[in-house]
Amino acid sequence: MTDSLKLTRRAFAKGMAAFGAAGAISPVLPLPAFARETLTLGEATVETLSDGHLVLPIDFQYGDAPKQELETLLKAHGLPTATSEPDCNLTLFRDGERTVLFDAGSGSRFMSSAGKAMDAFDEIGLDPSEVTHVVFTHAHPDHIWGILDDFDDVVFPDAELMISSAEWDYWWDPATVDTLPEARKPFAVGAKRSLEAIEDRVTRFKPGDEILPGVLALDTNGHTPGHISFEIAQGGDSVLVLGDAITHAFISFEHPQWPNGADHDAEQGIAMRKLLLDKLALEKTRIIGFHLPFPGFGRVAKSGTAYRYVADTQ
């Protein structure tokens, strides 16, 4: 078959979607910016790709926070008090030999507002087959469901897939689903489904491992039992890929002691946030937050007895 006649399943699905919309007359709108290169580490580059955003009831995450204080904080920052729409930022690291994607996004089965990673790939001219490694911070839907396409094929055909042993064991356990509240049971079902599909391609690691040259796995459990953040260090500079260890640009920083309902272990989640914020503020470490405002790069600053997120403006 000639190259001109080859048709991937992804291209087919996109083509059919475009065909279905062709009958409608609509204005030509500018394409959204899904990707933006923001950091150079030595000879390597780090950029974030937008997978869209989530739409969540504020009570889903902060139902146990002091209601009046929560509303006052959100209003002070011009945010709605009933819903939250956190961005979803995937991290792409390229060092000339490896193209490493941190988390795979939501795919098409979670929320219609998310699962936009392939649009970002198209925007930067990167084919999924060029990704050499996909590294997971954890196995919540917005981080791992995007590993499979609509045909249940792995989106990144040539990539090595990497996840912590503790995270794998937790979601692989058939008893896990019975320990979760009803609203989160689909998380376990979807995680198990994703892990079963990639079982023969996964490399598991432990905290403290240098999983790739210049990429160190750090234990930040609490949000999930095997949650990992990653330090990328190249050329004397570094950045910390946080995953969901810190999730909200205001609440997590100003009130890290408030429990996050999305955390598997609320007390451990609080302890980990405080520990990270102290360390990051002291060391002035650059961070990438999966749910911080796109593109997600910034630093932590001390602010009285609490902290402040300082977005990177470069």
Side-chain angles (χ1 to χ4, degrees), residues 2-176:
T2 65
D3 288 342
S4 62
L5 294 178
K6 290 180 181 178
L7 184 64
T8 66
R9 286 181 169 186
R10 176 171 163 250
F12 175 79
K14 290 184 67 176
M16 290 304 293
F19 177 79
I25 299 175
S26 60
V28 176
L29 299 175
L31 291 173
F34 288 106
R36 173 177 145 187
E37 185 174 307
T38 58
L39 182 62
T40 299
L41 300 179
E43 299 299 317
T45 60
V46 178
E47 56 198 301
T48 51
L49 312 179
S50 175
D51 193 48
H53 66 275
L54 305 182
V55 180
L56 302 170
I58 199 71
D59 286 348
F60 180 84
Q61 288 181 293
Y62 298 107
D64 292 329
K67 186 174 180 60
Q68 190 57 54
E69 288 183 60
L70 175 62
E71 289 188 359
T72 299
L73 173 65
L74 294 172
K75 288 178 180 178
H77 292 290
L79 298 174
T81 59
T83 60
S84 177
E85 297 190 3
D87 288 331
C88 297
N89 306 312
L90 309 183
T91 299
L92 187 70
F93 166 59
R94 296 191 267 196
D95 66 1
E97 294 184 31
R98 285 160 289 271
T99 297
V100 184
L101 182 68
F102 292 84
D103 291 325
S106 297
S108 62
R109 293 181 172 95
F110 188 45
M111 291 186 180
S112 60
S113 59
K116 313 300 183 184
M118 291 301 102
D119 293 322
F121 269 66
D122 287 343
E123 185 173 285
I124 65 173
L126 181 67
D127 191 273
S129 64
E130 297 176 68
V131 173
T132 60
H133 301 79
V134 180
V135 182
F136 298 105
T137 60
H138 64 298
H140 274 166
D142 48 331
H143 296 258
I144 200 171
W145 285 16
I147 198 64
L148 302 179
D149 65 17
D150 292 340
F151 299 91
D152 286 337
D153 290 331
V154 176
V155 172
F156 307 98
D158 300 316
E160 180 180 356
L161 312 178
M162 310 181 79
I163 193 169
S164 78
S165 295
E167 190 73 1
W168 177 279
D169 291 344
Y170 175 71
W171 295 107
W172 191 263
D173 185 349
T176 292

Side-chain angles (χ1 to χ4, degrees), residues 244-257:
D244 284 4
I246 297 172
T247 54
H248 196 285
F250 303 109
I251 298 173
S252 297
F253 292 81
E254 296 181 36
H255 292 281
Q257 78 280 9

